[in-house]
Amino acid sequence: NGEFDPASRAEAAFRAGEILRARGRLAEAEPRFAKAVELGAEAPKGREFPARGLLEQAHLKRRAHDETAALELYAQVRERFSDQRRTAATALTWRGKLLLAAGRTDGAAQALQGFATEYPEYPKDAVRNADLLAVELFESGDEAGAKAAVDRVRAALAPVVDSGGKQGESVAAALKAM
């Protein structure tokens, strides 16, 4: 209703969608997530829940095996809510995973390899994404492509590792474990 600001109403719609999804009432959850996204257009601030609502819509489509719709929604998260860095990064990761699962390795490589430069604030996610891609390439017989994926993420994250500290050590360990 109109007595609450759009950001609060977006959060309420998102949370209602989460509850319905958790109870297995997916057909009822999706409109709640859509309402959160719609309210995001009215809210210059408080865009976290509209972004998360759109991400949840993409997840619902993916789980329903509607890959085309899921891929489109993951792309929309990044286009419409680029200011919501964590949610946009999650959307890119899931887009890459979905493309890998569909055997669309070139598209997956573009998404997953670009992660380290597009979202440098999430270096461990970049390592996991590169690892997913490298394993897929290796298992499909493309050892050179797998090595290149590993080399690319190592080069992209070298400044983080070189900076030392807790994060540098953590990223170095993740790279080593690849």
Side-chain angles (χ1 to χ4, degrees), residues 51-135:
R52 289 175 61 191
L54 190 55
L55 181 66
E56 285 302 322
Q57 285 182 289
H59 289 331
L60 289 173
K61 294 297 184 189
R62 175 180 49 82
R63 290 180 192 120
H65 306 290
D66 186 349
E67 288 84 9
T68 302
L71 288 168
E72 175 58 33
L73 290 169
Y74 287 132
Q76 281 184 35
V77 170
R78 295 182 55 240
E79 291 166 12
R80 294 175 63 183
F81 298 102
S82 61
D83 60 317
Q84 299 301 306
R85 303 279 297 165
R86 171 41 71 195
T87 304
T90 300
L92 181 58
T93 293
W94 275 106
R95 183 173 171 76
K97 287 179 178 182
L98 191 54
L99 289 167
L100 273 180
R104 296 170 56 186
T105 310
D106 289 343
Q110 184 179 4
L112 297 174
Q113 289 179 148
F115 189 97
T117 53
E118 193 163 346
Y119 298 101
E121 66 269 40
Y122 307 117
K124 288 181 76 175
D125 291 343
V127 173
R128 281 191 289 272
N129 287 347
D131 193 43
L132 284 172
L133 177 62
V135 167

Side-chain angles (χ1 to χ4, degrees), residues 2 49 53 78 170:
F49 292 102
R78 295 182 55 240
S170 175

Side-chain angles (χ1 to χ4, degrees), residues 5 10 34 37 43 50 55 74 85 93 96 98 107-109 120 123 128 138 142 146 157 169 172 175:
D5 65 282
V37 176
L55 181 66
Y74 287 132
R85 303 279 297 165
T93 293
L98 191 54
R128 281 191 289 272
F138 184 81
D142 185 0
L157 297 178
E169 291 172 14
L175 288 167

